[in-house]
Amino acid sequence: QGSGTATVSHGLTKAPEFMLVKPLTTFQWDVYHHALDGFNGKNAYLVLNTDADEETSASTIWNNTWPTSEVFSLGSAWADAAANDETIAYCWHGVDGYSKFGRYRGNGESNGPFVHLGFKPAMVIVKRATGGDNSWNMWDNLRNSYNQVDTYLSPQTNGGEGSFVLGDFVSNGFKIQGTSGGLNTAGSIYVYAAWAESPFKYANAK
C-alpha cells in the first residue's frame, strides 16, 4: 500500500478474531484480538515483539474499522511502514471444537481460573492485556505431553524454552495454577488464543 489506508481480503468465512500483521522487512508485528478493550477492539492492538500493555486509542492501526467476513482494514500508521514493502497477515476466527480466542480475568490465587474452550488444547498463547507489561507466553502439548503444563516459549524473544507453570490442559479447556503476573494477577485481563489437540468437537481427557 502507501496511500495511508487499505482494505485487505483475508479469505475466511467469518470476520477474524485474531490477526498477526507485519510488513515483511520493517515495522512491528501488530496484533488484533477481538477481546481487547472489553470486546471493543477496533482501535486496540498489542505488539507481538514487545511485552507492552494493549493500546486502546489507536485508530490509525485498524482504521477505526471492524474486520468483516471479507476484509480487514489498515490505517494511516501503516502508510510509511508498508510503503514499498510486502505485508504478511495471519488471520483466524473461532471454530467450534478447533480454535477459540477470548479473555479471562485473573483471580490472583494458586487455584486460578478455568478457561472453557470446548476442546482439549494443543497450543495456548496468553498475554496480559491490562495491569502491567508482561511477556507473551506460549505452551503446547508436544513440549508438555502430560500435566502439569510448564514448558513454554515467549514469542517476543529469541530465547529458548523455559519453565513457567500454566497449569493443566484438560478435555474442555485449561486450568490455571499459579499467581504469576504473566498469567494470573487479581483483576488483570488476559487474552488468549487456543487451538485444539484434535479437530473434533469432543476430545478425551488426559
Side-chain angles (χ1 to χ4, degrees):
Q1 67 179 42
S3 62
T5 64
T7 56
V8 182
S9 177
H10 51 65
L12 301 177
T13 57
K14 298 179 181 178
E17 295 177 336
F18 182 57
M19 301 190 299
L20 310 176
V21 187
K22 187 187 186 303
L24 286 178
T25 60
T26 60
F27 208 44
Q28 62 198 20
W29 282 98
D30 283 339
V31 180
Y32 170 86
H33 195 299
H34 73 126
L36 290 174
D37 195 21
F39 291 95
N40 190 35
K42 65 180 179 178
N43 290 328
Y45 73 103
L46 290 162
V47 178
L48 188 64
N49 46 294
T50 77
D51 62 1
D53 269 7
E54 66 177 350
E55 171 61 60
T56 60
S57 57
S59 60
T60 59
I61 300 295
W62 314 120
N63 202 33
N64 192 30
T65 304
W66 294 106
T68 73
S69 60
E70 296 181 348
V71 300
F72 66 90
S73 298
L74 296 174
S76 59
W78 286 76
D80 294 329
N84 303 313
D85 193 3
E86 292 184 308
T87 297
I88 191 167
Y90 300 97
C91 304
W92 296 267
H93 61 72
V95 176
D96 251 3
Y98 180 76
S99 58
K100 190 171 182 180
F101 310 95
R103 59 185 260 160
Y104 66 87
R105 185 182 299 273
N107 65 12
E109 300 176 6
S110 57
N111 183 21
F114 170 70
V115 180
H116 182 267
L117 302 174
F119 54 80
K120 182 168 68 175
M123 183 168 73
V124 173
I125 302 173
V126 174
K127 174 71 174 79
R128 187 179 183 179
T130 64
D133 299 349
N134 282 105
S135 297
W136 293 84
N137 297 299
M138 176 168 58
W139 296 265
D140 63 76
N141 66 349
L142 296 181
R143 270 173 267 272
N144 301 273
S145 57
Y146 55 87
N147 290 320
Q148 194 175 49
V149 174
D150 62 0
T151 304
Y152 81 107
L153 291 169
S154 289
Q156 85 272 9
T157 78
N158 61 2
E161 62 186 28
S163 182
F164 173 27
V165 173
L166 167 70
D168 292 336
F169 285 174
V170 297
S171 62
N172 59 348
F174 60 97
K175 172 64 175 176
I176 295 167
Q177 297 169 354
T179 59
S180 164
L183 190 62
N184 187 23
T185 292
S188 284
I189 297 297
Y190 298 81
V191 293
Y192 67 84
W195 291 268
E197 178 178 279
S198 180
F200 301 102
K201 192 167 184 180
Y202 303 101
N204 295 321
K206 288 186 177 180

